[in-house]
Short mmCIF file of all heavy atoms in Angstrom, two decimals:
data_model
loop_
_atom_site.label_atom_id
_atom_site.label_comp_id
_atom_site.label_asym_id
_atom_site.label_seq_id
_atom_site.Cartn_x
_atom_site.Cartn_y
_atom_site.Cartn_z
N MET A 934 0.83 -1.20 -0.05
CA MET A 934 -0.02 0.03 -0.03
C MET A 934 0.90 1.29 0.05
O MET A 934 1.92 1.27 0.65
CB MET A 934 -0.87 0.02 1.18
CG MET A 934 -1.84 1.23 1.26
SD MET A 934 -2.93 1.48 2.72
CE MET A 934 -1.64 2.13 3.76
N ARG A 935 0.49 2.19 -0.78
CA ARG A 935 1.16 3.53 -0.84
C ARG A 935 0.12 4.52 -0.45
O ARG A 935 -1.12 4.37 -0.76
CB ARG A 935 1.64 3.89 -2.27
CG ARG A 935 2.77 2.95 -2.65
CD ARG A 935 3.21 3.29 -4.11
NE ARG A 935 4.43 2.43 -4.42
CZ ARG A 935 5.70 2.88 -4.30
NH1 ARG A 935 5.92 4.13 -3.81
NH2 ARG A 935 6.67 2.19 -4.60
N SER A 936 0.59 5.60 0.31
CA SER A 936 -0.27 6.63 0.59
C SER A 936 0.41 7.98 0.63
O SER A 936 1.62 7.98 0.80
CB SER A 936 -1.03 6.36 2.00
OG SER A 936 -0.20 6.47 2.99
N PHE A 937 -0.27 9.10 0.36
CA PHE A 937 0.38 10.41 0.48
C PHE A 937 -0.76 11.37 0.88
O PHE A 937 -1.98 11.12 0.64
CB PHE A 937 0.99 10.72 -0.94
CG PHE A 937 0.17 10.92 -2.00
CD1 PHE A 937 -0.50 12.02 -2.28
CD2 PHE A 937 -0.08 9.75 -2.93
CE1 PHE A 937 -1.37 12.16 -3.44
CE2 PHE A 937 -0.89 9.77 -3.86
CZ PHE A 937 -1.54 11.06 -4.28
N ASN A 938 -0.31 12.50 1.52
CA ASN A 938 -1.19 13.59 1.84
C ASN A 938 -1.16 14.74 0.80
O ASN A 938 -0.06 14.87 0.20
CB ASN A 938 -0.92 14.14 3.25
CG ASN A 938 -1.21 13.21 4.28
OD1 ASN A 938 -1.92 12.10 4.15
ND2 ASN A 938 -0.52 13.31 5.37
N TYR A 939 -2.27 15.34 0.54
CA TYR A 939 -2.29 16.49 -0.30
C TYR A 939 -3.20 17.50 0.16
O TYR A 939 -4.29 17.24 0.68
CB TYR A 939 -2.70 15.84 -1.77
CG TYR A 939 -2.74 16.98 -2.90
CD1 TYR A 939 -1.64 17.41 -3.48
CD2 TYR A 939 -3.93 17.64 -3.20
CE1 TYR A 939 -1.55 18.35 -4.53
CE2 TYR A 939 -4.00 18.59 -4.15
CZ TYR A 939 -2.75 18.95 -4.83
OH TYR A 939 -2.64 19.93 -5.78
N VAL A 940 -2.75 18.74 -0.01
CA VAL A 940 -3.66 19.96 0.38
C VAL A 940 -4.28 20.49 -0.81
O VAL A 940 -3.57 20.81 -1.79
CB VAL A 940 -2.87 21.07 1.14
CG1 VAL A 940 -3.68 22.25 1.41
CG2 VAL A 940 -2.22 20.46 2.44
N ILE A 941 -5.56 20.61 -0.93
CA ILE A 941 -6.29 21.07 -2.06
C ILE A 941 -6.02 22.57 -2.26
O ILE A 941 -6.28 23.39 -1.38
CB ILE A 941 -7.76 20.84 -1.87
CG1 ILE A 941 -8.18 19.30 -1.69
CG2 ILE A 941 -8.61 21.27 -3.12
CD1 ILE A 941 -7.73 18.44 -2.76
N LYS A 942 -5.64 22.90 -3.52
CA LYS A 942 -5.20 24.24 -3.87
C LYS A 942 -6.29 24.95 -4.60
O LYS A 942 -6.33 26.22 -4.63
CB LYS A 942 -3.87 24.28 -4.57
CG LYS A 942 -2.79 23.73 -3.59
CD LYS A 942 -1.50 23.67 -4.32
CE LYS A 942 -0.49 23.15 -3.48
NZ LYS A 942 0.02 21.84 -3.61
N ASP A 943 -7.28 24.19 -5.33
CA ASP A 943 -8.25 24.88 -6.13
C ASP A 943 -9.19 25.59 -5.30
O ASP A 943 -9.67 25.04 -4.27
CB ASP A 943 -8.96 23.68 -6.93
CG ASP A 943 -9.96 24.26 -7.96
OD1 ASP A 943 -10.69 25.35 -7.72
OD2 ASP A 943 -9.97 23.82 -9.10
N LYS A 944 -9.40 26.81 -5.67
CA LYS A 944 -10.33 27.72 -4.68
C LYS A 944 -11.68 27.17 -4.61
O LYS A 944 -12.31 27.37 -3.63
CB LYS A 944 -10.38 29.10 -5.38
CG LYS A 944 -9.03 29.81 -5.15
CD LYS A 944 -9.16 31.27 -5.63
CE LYS A 944 -7.95 31.93 -5.38
NZ LYS A 944 -7.10 32.58 -6.37
N ALA A 945 -12.13 26.41 -5.59
CA ALA A 945 -13.48 25.80 -5.54
C ALA A 945 -13.54 24.43 -4.84
O ALA A 945 -14.62 23.81 -4.70
CB ALA A 945 -14.15 25.69 -6.95
N GLY A 946 -12.37 23.90 -4.45
CA GLY A 946 -12.31 22.62 -3.85
C GLY A 946 -12.42 21.55 -4.92
O GLY A 946 -12.15 21.76 -6.12
N ILE A 947 -12.97 20.33 -4.59
CA ILE A 947 -13.10 19.23 -5.53
C ILE A 947 -14.55 19.28 -5.92
O ILE A 947 -15.43 18.78 -5.23
CB ILE A 947 -12.70 17.93 -4.98
CG1 ILE A 947 -11.21 17.84 -4.67
CG2 ILE A 947 -13.07 16.85 -5.96
CD1 ILE A 947 -10.73 16.57 -4.35
N HIS A 948 -14.82 19.96 -7.00
CA HIS A 948 -16.16 20.08 -7.55
C HIS A 948 -16.28 19.24 -8.81
O HIS A 948 -15.30 18.33 -9.05
CB HIS A 948 -16.57 21.50 -7.96
CG HIS A 948 -15.64 22.25 -8.77
ND1 HIS A 948 -15.69 22.20 -10.10
CD2 HIS A 948 -14.47 22.89 -8.44
CE1 HIS A 948 -14.65 22.89 -10.63
NE2 HIS A 948 -13.89 23.36 -9.69
N ALA A 949 -17.24 19.27 -9.56
CA ALA A 949 -17.46 18.37 -10.77
C ALA A 949 -16.30 18.18 -11.74
O ALA A 949 -15.93 17.08 -12.06
CB ALA A 949 -18.68 18.83 -11.49
N ARG A 950 -15.82 19.32 -12.16
CA ARG A 950 -14.69 19.12 -13.08
C ARG A 950 -13.49 18.35 -12.61
O ARG A 950 -12.99 17.52 -13.22
CB ARG A 950 -14.32 20.54 -13.67
CG ARG A 950 -13.34 20.33 -14.82
CD ARG A 950 -13.21 21.65 -15.56
NE ARG A 950 -12.27 21.54 -16.73
CZ ARG A 950 -11.29 22.29 -16.82
NH1 ARG A 950 -10.96 23.26 -16.04
NH2 ARG A 950 -10.39 22.12 -17.91
N PRO A 951 -12.91 18.97 -11.44
CA PRO A 951 -11.72 18.23 -11.01
C PRO A 951 -11.94 16.77 -10.52
O PRO A 951 -11.16 15.87 -10.67
CB PRO A 951 -11.14 19.15 -9.83
CG PRO A 951 -12.17 20.03 -9.54
CD PRO A 951 -13.01 20.16 -10.80
N ALA A 952 -13.15 16.58 -9.93
CA ALA A 952 -13.53 15.27 -9.48
C ALA A 952 -13.59 14.26 -10.72
O ALA A 952 -13.16 13.14 -10.69
CB ALA A 952 -14.84 15.22 -8.77
N GLY A 953 -14.09 14.83 -11.82
CA GLY A 953 -14.22 14.02 -13.06
C GLY A 953 -12.80 13.64 -13.56
O GLY A 953 -12.59 12.53 -14.08
N MET A 954 -11.90 14.58 -13.43
CA MET A 954 -10.49 14.33 -13.86
C MET A 954 -9.82 13.25 -13.00
O MET A 954 -9.05 12.39 -13.51
CB MET A 954 -9.72 15.60 -13.78
CG MET A 954 -10.21 16.70 -14.85
SD MET A 954 -9.50 18.25 -14.60
CE MET A 954 -7.75 18.00 -14.65
N VAL A 955 -10.14 13.24 -11.72
CA VAL A 955 -9.62 12.28 -10.71
C VAL A 955 -10.14 10.91 -11.19
O VAL A 955 -9.46 9.99 -11.21
CB VAL A 955 -9.88 12.65 -9.30
CG1 VAL A 955 -9.47 11.48 -8.38
CG2 VAL A 955 -9.09 13.95 -8.93
N VAL A 956 -11.40 10.86 -11.29
CA VAL A 956 -12.14 9.68 -11.63
C VAL A 956 -11.61 9.05 -12.93
O VAL A 956 -11.28 7.85 -12.98
CB VAL A 956 -13.63 9.76 -11.70
CG1 VAL A 956 -14.39 8.64 -12.36
CG2 VAL A 956 -14.14 10.15 -10.30
N LYS A 957 -11.49 9.83 -13.95
CA LYS A 957 -10.96 9.37 -15.26
C LYS A 957 -9.57 8.79 -15.08
O LYS A 957 -9.28 7.68 -15.73
CB LYS A 957 -10.82 10.49 -16.32
CG LYS A 957 -10.47 10.20 -17.68
CD LYS A 957 -10.61 11.34 -18.53
CE LYS A 957 -10.17 11.01 -19.96
NZ LYS A 957 -10.22 12.17 -20.85
N GLU A 958 -8.71 9.41 -14.36
CA GLU A 958 -7.30 8.93 -14.16
C GLU A 958 -7.35 7.64 -13.28
O GLU A 958 -6.63 6.69 -13.68
CB GLU A 958 -6.47 9.94 -13.46
CG GLU A 958 -4.93 9.65 -13.50
CD GLU A 958 -4.30 9.54 -14.76
OE1 GLU A 958 -4.82 10.24 -15.78
OE2 GLU A 958 -3.35 8.83 -14.96
N ALA A 959 -8.21 7.65 -12.18
CA ALA A 959 -8.26 6.42 -11.35
C ALA A 959 -8.76 5.22 -12.05
O ALA A 959 -8.27 4.06 -11.82
CB ALA A 959 -9.08 6.75 -10.18
N LYS A 960 -9.56 5.38 -12.98
CA LYS A 960 -10.19 4.23 -13.81
C LYS A 960 -9.16 3.62 -14.69
O LYS A 960 -9.29 2.52 -15.22
CB LYS A 960 -11.29 4.62 -14.60
CG LYS A 960 -12.57 4.80 -13.64
CD LYS A 960 -13.73 5.15 -14.49
CE LYS A 960 -15.00 5.23 -13.49
NZ LYS A 960 -16.25 5.39 -14.28
N LYS A 961 -8.06 4.16 -14.89
CA LYS A 961 -6.96 3.63 -15.78
C LYS A 961 -6.17 2.48 -15.04
O LYS A 961 -5.37 1.82 -15.72
CB LYS A 961 -5.92 4.68 -16.22
CG LYS A 961 -6.53 5.78 -17.15
CD LYS A 961 -5.47 6.86 -17.55
CE LYS A 961 -6.01 7.98 -18.29
NZ LYS A 961 -5.06 8.96 -18.59
N TYR A 962 -6.34 2.40 -13.78
CA TYR A 962 -5.54 1.49 -12.96
C TYR A 962 -6.32 0.41 -12.31
O TYR A 962 -7.49 0.70 -11.98
CB TYR A 962 -4.81 2.24 -11.96
CG TYR A 962 -3.84 3.26 -12.61
CD1 TYR A 962 -4.30 4.56 -12.64
CD2 TYR A 962 -2.60 2.97 -13.07
CE1 TYR A 962 -3.39 5.55 -13.31
CE2 TYR A 962 -1.80 3.91 -13.77
CZ TYR A 962 -2.15 5.22 -13.87
OH TYR A 962 -1.36 6.02 -14.47
N GLY A 963 -5.77 -0.77 -12.06
CA GLY A 963 -6.42 -1.80 -11.43
C GLY A 963 -6.39 -1.81 -9.97
O GLY A 963 -7.21 -2.40 -9.22
N SER A 964 -5.54 -0.95 -9.44
CA SER A 964 -5.42 -0.73 -7.93
C SER A 964 -6.65 -0.06 -7.36
O SER A 964 -7.41 0.68 -8.01
CB SER A 964 -4.21 0.05 -7.53
OG SER A 964 -2.99 -0.57 -7.88
N GLU A 965 -7.00 -0.32 -6.09
CA GLU A 965 -8.06 0.34 -5.42
C GLU A 965 -7.41 1.68 -4.93
O GLU A 965 -6.34 1.70 -4.23
CB GLU A 965 -8.52 -0.46 -4.15
CG GLU A 965 -9.49 0.33 -3.29
CD GLU A 965 -9.90 -0.45 -2.14
OE1 GLU A 965 -9.11 -1.17 -1.47
OE2 GLU A 965 -11.07 -0.38 -1.67
N ILE A 966 -8.03 2.74 -5.12
CA ILE A 966 -7.54 4.10 -4.78
C ILE A 966 -8.65 4.77 -3.98
O ILE A 966 -9.78 4.96 -4.36
CB ILE A 966 -7.33 4.95 -6.07
CG1 ILE A 966 -6.31 4.31 -7.01
CG2 ILE A 966 -6.76 6.29 -5.64
CD1 ILE A 966 -6.18 4.91 -8.36
N LEU A 967 -8.28 5.06 -2.77
CA LEU A 967 -9.25 5.70 -1.77
C LEU A 967 -8.77 7.04 -1.52
O LEU A 967 -7.66 7.39 -1.41
CB LEU A 967 -9.31 4.94 -0.52
CG LEU A 967 -9.97 3.53 -0.55
CD1 LEU A 967 -9.85 2.91 0.83
CD2 LEU A 967 -11.35 3.57 -1.00
N VAL A 968 -9.71 8.10 -1.47
CA VAL A 968 -9.47 9.38 -1.00
C VAL A 968 -10.10 9.52 0.44
O VAL A 968 -11.29 9.17 0.54
CB VAL A 968 -10.09 10.43 -1.95
CG1 VAL A 968 -9.97 11.76 -1.49
CG2 VAL A 968 -9.42 10.33 -3.40
N LYS A 969 -9.38 10.01 1.31
CA LYS A 969 -9.78 10.07 2.76
C LYS A 969 -9.70 11.51 3.25
O LYS A 969 -8.68 12.24 2.94
CB LYS A 969 -9.08 9.20 3.66
CG LYS A 969 -9.22 7.72 3.25
CD LYS A 969 -8.48 6.90 4.34
CE LYS A 969 -8.79 5.39 4.06
NZ LYS A 969 -8.22 4.60 5.14
N LYS A 970 -10.66 11.94 3.97
CA LYS A 970 -10.68 13.32 4.67
C LYS A 970 -11.26 13.04 6.03
O LYS A 970 -12.48 12.76 6.14
CB LYS A 970 -11.50 14.30 3.80
CG LYS A 970 -11.61 15.67 4.54
CD LYS A 970 -12.47 16.60 3.73
CE LYS A 970 -13.10 17.56 4.69
NZ LYS A 970 -14.14 18.25 4.15
N GLY A 971 -10.54 13.03 7.00
CA GLY A 971 -10.98 12.80 8.31
C GLY A 971 -11.54 11.36 8.38
O GLY A 971 -10.75 10.41 7.98
N GLU A 972 -12.69 11.13 8.82
CA GLU A 972 -13.29 9.73 8.87
C GLU A 972 -13.91 9.33 7.59
O GLU A 972 -14.30 8.17 7.34
CB GLU A 972 -14.27 9.70 10.04
CG GLU A 972 -13.70 9.90 11.38
CD GLU A 972 -12.80 8.88 11.81
OE1 GLU A 972 -13.03 7.64 11.58
OE2 GLU A 972 -11.68 9.15 12.42
N ALA A 973 -14.23 10.25 6.69
CA ALA A 973 -14.81 10.04 5.41
C ALA A 973 -13.80 9.49 4.43
O ALA A 973 -12.72 9.85 4.39
CB ALA A 973 -15.59 11.28 4.96
N HIS A 974 -14.40 8.70 3.58
CA HIS A 974 -13.49 8.08 2.44
C HIS A 974 -14.43 7.80 1.24
O HIS A 974 -15.58 7.60 1.36
CB HIS A 974 -12.71 6.80 2.88
CG HIS A 974 -13.56 5.66 3.08
ND1 HIS A 974 -14.25 5.46 4.33
CD2 HIS A 974 -14.01 4.60 2.31
CE1 HIS A 974 -14.95 4.36 4.24
NE2 HIS A 974 -14.90 3.84 3.07
N ALA A 975 -13.63 7.88 0.08
CA ALA A 975 -14.45 7.68 -1.13
C ALA A 975 -13.51 6.81 -2.11
O ALA A 975 -12.31 7.05 -2.11
CB ALA A 975 -14.92 8.93 -1.81
N ASP A 976 -14.11 6.02 -2.98
CA ASP A 976 -13.50 5.34 -4.12
C ASP A 976 -13.15 6.50 -5.16
O ASP A 976 -14.02 7.11 -5.64
CB ASP A 976 -14.37 4.29 -4.64
CG ASP A 976 -13.75 3.57 -5.75
OD1 ASP A 976 -12.74 4.02 -6.34
OD2 ASP A 976 -14.28 2.39 -6.20
N ALA A 977 -11.83 6.61 -5.43
CA ALA A 977 -11.41 7.59 -6.43
C ALA A 977 -12.01 7.40 -7.88
O ALA A 977 -12.09 8.26 -8.57
CB ALA A 977 -9.96 7.76 -6.53
N SER A 978 -12.58 6.29 -8.12
CA SER A 978 -13.18 5.90 -9.43
C SER A 978 -14.68 6.22 -9.41
O SER A 978 -15.35 5.84 -10.39
CB SER A 978 -12.84 4.52 -9.96
OG SER A 978 -13.39 3.60 -9.10
N ASN A 979 -15.22 6.68 -8.38
CA ASN A 979 -16.75 6.86 -8.14
C ASN A 979 -16.97 8.41 -8.00
O ASN A 979 -16.76 8.97 -6.97
CB ASN A 979 -17.29 6.13 -6.98
CG ASN A 979 -18.73 6.19 -6.89
OD1 ASN A 979 -19.34 7.18 -6.92
ND2 ASN A 979 -19.43 4.99 -6.75
N LEU A 980 -17.44 9.07 -9.06
CA LEU A 980 -17.70 10.47 -9.14
C LEU A 980 -18.62 10.89 -7.90
O LEU A 980 -18.26 11.90 -7.21
CB LEU A 980 -18.24 10.85 -10.49
CG LEU A 980 -18.46 12.37 -10.68
CD1 LEU A 980 -17.19 13.09 -10.67
CD2 LEU A 980 -19.23 12.60 -12.08
N MET A 981 -19.61 10.24 -7.73
CA MET A 981 -20.59 10.81 -6.86
C MET A 981 -20.12 10.61 -5.32
O MET A 981 -20.38 11.53 -4.47
CB MET A 981 -21.92 9.98 -6.85
CG MET A 981 -22.70 10.24 -8.13
SD MET A 981 -22.89 11.94 -8.61
CE MET A 981 -24.01 12.41 -7.40
N GLN A 982 -19.32 9.61 -5.10
CA GLN A 982 -18.73 9.41 -3.81
C GLN A 982 -17.72 10.53 -3.51
O GLN A 982 -17.68 11.16 -2.44
CB GLN A 982 -17.96 8.08 -3.66
CG GLN A 982 -18.88 6.92 -3.35
CD GLN A 982 -18.03 5.62 -3.13
OE1 GLN A 982 -16.94 5.63 -2.91
NE2 GLN A 982 -18.79 4.51 -3.38
N LEU A 983 -16.90 10.79 -4.46
CA LEU A 983 -15.85 11.80 -4.36
C LEU A 983 -16.48 13.23 -4.22
O LEU A 983 -15.99 13.95 -3.32
CB LEU A 983 -15.01 11.78 -5.77
CG LEU A 983 -13.59 12.40 -5.58
CD1 LEU A 983 -12.82 11.86 -4.45
CD2 LEU A 983 -12.93 12.20 -6.88
N MET A 984 -17.47 13.44 -4.86
CA MET A 984 -18.10 14.87 -4.82
C MET A 984 -18.85 15.07 -3.52
O MET A 984 -18.90 16.14 -3.04
CB MET A 984 -19.00 15.17 -6.01
CG MET A 984 -18.22 15.40 -7.40
SD MET A 984 -19.29 15.66 -8.77
CE MET A 984 -20.39 16.96 -8.12
N SER A 985 -19.42 13.98 -3.04
CA SER A 985 -20.19 13.97 -1.81
C SER A 985 -19.35 14.27 -0.51
O SER A 985 -19.88 14.54 0.57
CB SER A 985 -21.10 12.80 -1.53
OG SER A 985 -20.21 11.61 -1.23
N MET A 986 -18.08 14.18 -0.55
CA MET A 986 -17.17 14.45 0.48
C MET A 986 -17.05 15.80 0.93
O MET A 986 -16.60 16.20 1.97
CB MET A 986 -15.73 13.81 0.22
CG MET A 986 -15.75 12.35 0.13
SD MET A 986 -14.09 11.79 -0.06
CE MET A 986 -13.30 12.05 1.48
N GLY A 987 -17.37 16.79 -0.01
CA GLY A 987 -17.37 18.18 0.33
C GLY A 987 -16.05 18.71 0.66
O GLY A 987 -15.79 19.53 1.55
N ILE A 988 -15.05 18.35 -0.22
CA ILE A 988 -13.63 18.72 -0.08
C ILE A 988 -13.51 20.13 -0.56
O ILE A 988 -13.93 20.31 -1.67
CB ILE A 988 -12.71 17.75 -0.79
CG1 ILE A 988 -12.82 16.40 -0.18
CG2 ILE A 988 -11.23 18.22 -0.68
CD1 ILE A 988 -12.17 15.33 -0.98
N ARG A 989 -12.97 20.95 0.36
CA ARG A 989 -12.84 22.38 -0.06
C ARG A 989 -11.34 22.81 -0.15
O ARG A 989 -10.45 22.12 0.28
CB ARG A 989 -13.50 23.23 1.07
CG ARG A 989 -14.97 22.97 1.29
CD ARG A 989 -15.76 24.08 1.95
NE ARG A 989 -17.08 23.69 2.15
CZ ARG A 989 -18.08 23.52 1.29
NH1 ARG A 989 -17.82 23.51 0.08
NH2 ARG A 989 -19.30 23.22 1.74
N CYS A 990 -11.19 24.12 -0.58
CA CYS A 990 -9.78 24.57 -0.69
C CYS A 990 -9.12 24.53 0.75
O CYS A 990 -9.77 24.89 1.68
CB CYS A 990 -9.84 26.09 -1.24
SG CYS A 990 -8.25 26.76 -1.56
N GLN A 991 -7.86 24.24 0.77
CA GLN A 991 -7.07 24.02 1.90
C GLN A 991 -7.34 22.89 2.75
O GLN A 991 -6.66 22.59 3.84
CB GLN A 991 -7.10 25.38 2.80
CG GLN A 991 -6.63 26.59 2.15
CD GLN A 991 -5.14 26.52 1.60
OE1 GLN A 991 -4.27 26.04 2.28
NE2 GLN A 991 -4.94 26.83 0.30
N ASP A 992 -8.36 22.04 2.38
CA ASP A 992 -8.51 20.74 3.15
C ASP A 992 -7.31 19.82 2.78
O ASP A 992 -6.84 19.85 1.62
CB ASP A 992 -9.72 20.12 2.67
CG ASP A 992 -11.03 20.65 3.18
OD1 ASP A 992 -10.97 21.50 4.21
OD2 ASP A 992 -12.18 20.36 2.85
N GLU A 993 -6.98 19.11 3.73
CA GLU A 993 -5.88 18.05 3.48
C GLU A 993 -6.50 16.71 3.41
O GLU A 993 -7.34 16.32 4.14
CB GLU A 993 -4.87 18.02 4.67
CG GLU A 993 -3.75 16.97 4.39
CD GLU A 993 -2.65 17.06 5.54
OE1 GLU A 993 -2.84 17.66 6.51
OE2 GLU A 993 -1.68 16.44 5.24
N ILE A 994 -6.26 16.03 2.21
CA ILE A 994 -6.76 14.68 2.02
C ILE A 994 -5.56 13.70 1.95
O ILE A 994 -4.37 14.05 1.87
CB ILE A 994 -7.48 14.58 0.71
CG1 ILE A 994 -6.50 14.89 -0.57
CG2 ILE A 994 -8.76 15.54 0.63
CD1 ILE A 994 -7.06 14.56 -1.90
N THR A 995 -5.93 12.34 2.19
CA THR A 995 -4.98 11.38 2.14
C THR A 995 -5.46 10.36 1.08
O THR A 995 -6.70 10.10 0.96
CB THR A 995 -4.93 10.50 3.39
OG1 THR A 995 -4.54 11.34 4.45
CG2 THR A 995 -3.95 9.35 3.30
N VAL A 996 -4.55 10.06 0.14
CA VAL A 996 -4.83 9.10 -1.02
C VAL A 996 -4.05 7.85 -0.71
O VAL A 996 -2.95 7.87 -0.48
CB VAL A 996 -4.32 9.76 -2.36
CG1 VAL A 996 -4.62 8.76 -3.44
CG2 VAL A 996 -5.04 11.07 -2.60
N GLU A 997 -4.87 6.75 -0.71
CA GLU A 997 -4.23 5.49 -0.46
C GLU A 997 -4.42 4.54 -1.69
O GLU A 997 -5.65 4.41 -2.17
CB GLU A 997 -4.94 4.76 0.76
CG GLU A 997 -4.70 5.41 2.10
CD GLU A 997 -5.23 4.63 3.20
OE1 GLU A 997 -5.99 3.68 3.09
OE2 GLU A 997 -5.03 5.10 4.55
N VAL A 998 -3.45 3.88 -2.10
CA VAL A 998 -3.38 3.00 -3.28
C VAL A 998 -3.02 1.76 -2.97
O VAL A 998 -1.83 1.64 -2.36
CB VAL A 998 -2.48 3.69 -4.40
CG1 VAL A 998 -2.62 2.90 -5.72
CG2 VAL A 998 -2.96 5.22 -4.63
N THR A 999 -3.73 0.73 -3.27
CA THR A 999 -3.39 -0.73 -3.00
C THR A 999 -3.65 -1.54 -4.24
O THR A 999 -4.79 -1.50 -4.75
CB THR A 999 -4.31 -1.17 -1.84
OG1 THR A 999 -4.20 -0.36 -0.76
CG2 THR A 999 -3.86 -2.62 -1.46
N GLY A 1000 -2.70 -2.26 -4.67
CA GLY A 1000 -2.88 -3.27 -5.86
C GLY A 1000 -1.62 -3.40 -6.55
O GLY A 1000 -0.48 -3.02 -6.17
N ASP A 1001 -1.75 -4.12 -7.63
CA ASP A 1001 -0.55 -4.55 -8.43
C ASP A 1001 0.16 -3.44 -9.06
O ASP A 1001 1.39 -3.52 -9.34
CB ASP A 1001 -0.93 -5.56 -9.50
CG ASP A 1001 -1.55 -6.94 -8.92
OD1 ASP A 1001 -1.02 -7.25 -7.76
OD2 ASP A 1001 -2.24 -7.58 -9.52
N ASP A 1002 -0.66 -2.46 -9.54
CA ASP A 1002 -0.01 -1.26 -10.23
C ASP A 1002 0.05 -0.02 -9.30
O ASP A 1002 -0.08 1.07 -9.71
CB ASP A 1002 -0.66 -0.99 -11.49
CG ASP A 1002 -2.12 -0.68 -11.43
OD1 ASP A 1002 -2.73 -0.82 -10.29
OD2 ASP A 1002 -2.74 -0.52 -12.39
N GLU A 1003 0.15 -0.29 -7.95
CA GLU A 1003 0.01 0.89 -7.02
C GLU A 1003 1.11 1.93 -7.19
O GLU A 1003 0.85 3.06 -7.08
CB GLU A 1003 -0.03 0.36 -5.56
CG GLU A 1003 1.24 -0.26 -5.09
CD GLU A 1003 1.09 -0.91 -3.75
OE1 GLU A 1003 0.00 -1.39 -3.34
OE2 GLU A 1003 2.11 -0.90 -3.07
N GLU A 1004 2.26 1.54 -7.68
CA GLU A 1004 3.37 2.51 -7.85
C GLU A 1004 3.01 3.53 -8.90
O GLU A 1004 3.03 4.73 -8.80
CB GLU A 1004 4.68 1.85 -8.09
CG GLU A 1004 5.72 2.85 -8.21
CD GLU A 1004 7.19 2.08 -8.31
OE1 GLU A 1004 7.33 0.96 -7.95
OE2 GLU A 1004 8.06 2.76 -8.74
N ALA A 1005 2.58 3.07 -10.07
CA ALA A 1005 2.17 3.89 -11.18
C ALA A 1005 0.89 4.74 -10.85
O ALA A 1005 0.86 5.91 -11.16
CB ALA A 1005 1.89 3.03 -12.42
N ALA A 1006 -0.08 4.06 -10.19
CA ALA A 1006 -1.30 4.74 -9.87
C ALA A 1006 -1.14 5.88 -8.94
O ALA A 1006 -1.63 6.92 -9.01
CB ALA A 1006 -2.31 3.63 -9.30
N SER A 1007 -0.22 5.59 -7.92
CA SER A 1007 0.11 6.54 -6.88
C SER A 1007 0.82 7.84 -7.54
O SER A 1007 0.41 8.95 -7.23
CB SER A 1007 1.05 5.99 -5.90
OG SER A 1007 1.30 6.95 -4.78
N ALA A 1008 1.72 7.48 -8.38
CA ALA A 1008 2.28 8.59 -9.13
C ALA A 1008 1.46 9.40 -10.08
O ALA A 1008 1.57 10.67 -10.07
CB ALA A 1008 3.56 8.09 -10.08
N ALA A 1009 0.46 8.76 -10.59
CA ALA A 1009 -0.44 9.48 -11.60
C ALA A 1009 -1.46 10.26 -10.71
O ALA A 1009 -1.80 11.30 -11.13
CB ALA A 1009 -1.24 8.43 -12.23
N MET A 1010 -1.85 9.78 -9.43
CA MET A 1010 -2.77 10.49 -8.71
C MET A 1010 -2.25 11.87 -8.20
O MET A 1010 -2.80 12.76 -7.93
CB MET A 1010 -3.26 9.73 -7.52
CG MET A 1010 -4.18 8.63 -7.96
SD MET A 1010 -5.79 9.23 -8.41
CE MET A 1010 -5.81 8.90 -10.16
#
């Protein structure tokens, strides 16, 4: 498993367009990719889950990648 933290810099947070970009990239990999914020988590390949987290500018998220191609998937995320 690989994980990293990231602080959201987009002033609008993770809204439809950036969430769609994350989902599109996550679907390229076989690994499970989770986005976590506090106790909440979402599958990075599920647009509705990702958008429902309410991630705003300056929020810190954790991305966890588990699977056969986790190194490449982690780098892409």
Side-chain angles (χ1 to χ4, degrees):
M934 178 183 82
R935 293 181 175 265
S936 70
F937 62 91
N938 293 336
Y939 182 80
V940 176
I941 303 301
K942 297 176 179 105
D943 188 316
K944 289 182 173 120
I947 295 188
H948 55 88
R950 185 169 182 236
M954 293 167 62
V955 169
V956 168
K957 184 176 180 181
E958 191 64 29
K960 287 185 175 186
K961 294 179 182 177
Y962 301 95
S964 293
E965 178 184 33
I966 304 170
L967 293 177
V968 175
K969 296 183 174 186
K970 177 187 154 195
E972 296 295 316
H974 67 276
D976 180 346
S978 64
N979 186 309
L980 182 65
M981 295 310 290
Q982 282 184 18
L983 197 55
M984 287 180 55
S985 71
M986 291 183 68
I988 300 171
R989 304 201 185 292
C990 184
Q991 298 302 314
D992 283 352
E993 183 173 9
I994 61 169
T995 301
V996 179
E997 291 184 357
V998 184
T999 307
D1001 294 335
D1002 57 358
E1003 65 187 30
E1004 186 173 338
S1007 180
M1010 289 287 111

